[in-house]
Amino acid sequence: MARERTYIAEAIVLRRSDFQEADRRLTLLTPDRGRLNVIAKGVRRPASRMAGHLELFTLAKVFVVRRRSLDLVVQAETVQTFPELRTDLNRLPYAYQAVETAHILVEEEVEAHAEFILLVKALSALAVTTALPLVLVAYKLQLLATLGYQAQLQECARCGNALSEDGNRARPDSGGVVCAPCGGVTGSPIAVRAIKCLRWLAQEPLQTVERLQVDPATTTQLEETADTFVRYVAEQDLKTTPFLERMRALKTQS
């Protein structure tokens, strides 16, 4: 059966870069086709009607023509925008990291309905929340679980026994948190308080995670643990982390 020559898809713009004189190369996340790399023809021209519909973080409906190389977006219509994510410098780096996490974890040309819906919820929550780090941690944990990499946080991921009162370690190579006897000297130490928070964030709706009261030290441990699991599965670092850290430093200095 021949492939259809055109298709329509809802899509979130994950990345964009200039291409040739007036085009843009876009990376999109779609529910039916997963991650896609496409070209938006002529979108950089002043008279382009598509430009405003294909901004970073935008949820749009796109009309796409298949080609032998990169598919071509010929029409786009905005479904939902998250303007706060582009104009609020406190929110911007968290949004960048949310879409980067999707970019490095979701495969190309595979069904990704749950992953798509989760990213929409993450961007919606990041646009309004007062607990940006917690939303991002919850999103990363839940995205990993959706992809089949749910971290074992209830008991030792190695021996199955109850976790220790102290000495537990985050071990993505073991699939979660391990107790003191199993952890040895490898892995990242993690406090019981942080483990309990991770359990809650892994299943709580993203829009309500700000109800969790967490001190700064625990928040840092939560972020580092979530990043450790993402890094292990993706086999690469999050490139937006330095940007996120710089923006935090600027906020602290102001």
Side-chain angles (χ1 to χ4, degrees):
M1 181 181 295
R3 293 196 310 171
E4 71 273 28
R5 297 188 61 185
T6 64
Y7 59 89
I8 298 173
E10 280 198 317
I12 301 170
V13 181
L14 303 181
R15 286 187 180 180
R16 65 177 196 167
S17 59
D18 292 346
F19 183 77
Q20 297 184 349
E21 292 185 2
D23 307 338
R24 278 205 175 99
R25 178 170 176 156
L26 306 174
T27 301
L28 309 175
L29 181 66
T30 68
D32 293 321
R33 292 174 166 82
R35 180 164 50 87
L36 296 177
N37 291 311
V38 298
I39 297 295
K41 194 72 172 177
V43 75
R44 290 162 54 207
R45 294 193 180 101
S48 172
R49 295 182 178 180
M50 288 197 299
H53 302 287
L54 296 173
E55 296 287 342
L56 195 63
F57 315 135
T58 298
L59 170 60
K61 182 178 290 185
V62 294
F63 185 89
V64 185
V65 176
R66 285 195 179 275
R67 301 195 302 176
R68 289 185 178 180
S69 55
L70 294 176
D71 291 353
L72 189 69
V73 176
V74 296
Q75 187 175 337
E77 176 185 342
T78 298
V79 175
Q80 186 174 0
T81 62
F82 306 95
E84 302 88 351
L85 301 181
R86 292 189 294 273
T87 59
D88 187 334
L89 293 182
N90 292 324
R91 301 181 189 279
L92 179 64
Y94 291 92
Y96 268 121
Q97 188 149 109
V99 296
E100 185 194 7
T101 303
H103 183 273
I104 65 175
L105 289 178
V106 180
E107 296 181 11
E108 293 186 37
E109 296 285 350
V110 295
E111 187 177 294
H113 285 270
E115 295 88 339
F116 178 83
I117 292 171
L118 188 61
L119 182 56
V120 172
K121 290 180 178 179
L123 295 176
S124 299
L126 289 171
V128 299
T129 188
T130 58
L132 292 160
L134 296 184
V135 170
L136 192 56
V137 168
Y139 169 67
K140 291 172 182 175
L141 293 175
Q142 292 179 29
L143 179 59
L144 287 169
T146 297
L147 293 167
Y149 299 100
Q150 183 170 8
Q152 172 56 263
L153 304 169
Q154 301 298 326
E155 57 193 23
C156 177
R158 182 166 291 181
C159 70
N161 292 331
L163 293 170
S164 315
E165 286 299 316
D166 53 48
N168 302 302
R169 292 179 177 271
R171 290 287 302 270
D173 58 328
S174 296
V177 176
V178 299
C179 63
C182 291
V185 295
T186 58
S188 303
I190 182 168
V192 169
R193 165 65 173 162
I195 296 171
K196 292 178 179 179
C197 291
L198 288 172
R199 291 170 181 165
W200 195 79
L201 293 170
Q203 52 82 39
E204 183 70 11
L206 299 181
Q207 293 80 357
T208 60
V209 299
E210 63 184 21
R211 295 183 303 176
L212 185 65
Q213 300 298 312
V214 187
D215 61 87
T218 300
T219 298
T220 297
Q221 197 165 60
L222 296 175
E223 292 178 291
E224 291 175 348
T225 302
D227 285 354
T228 296
F229 284 102
V230 170
R231 186 185 308 114
Y232 180 80
V233 173
E235 298 183 340
Q236 60 181 287
D237 291 325
L238 287 161
K239 296 179 180 178
T240 50
T241 297
F243 174 54
L244 180 56
E245 292 174 347
R246 285 197 302 272
M247 297 302 294
R248 281 177 173 167
L250 288 173
K251 182 180 178 181
T252 302
Q253 294 169 9
S254 61

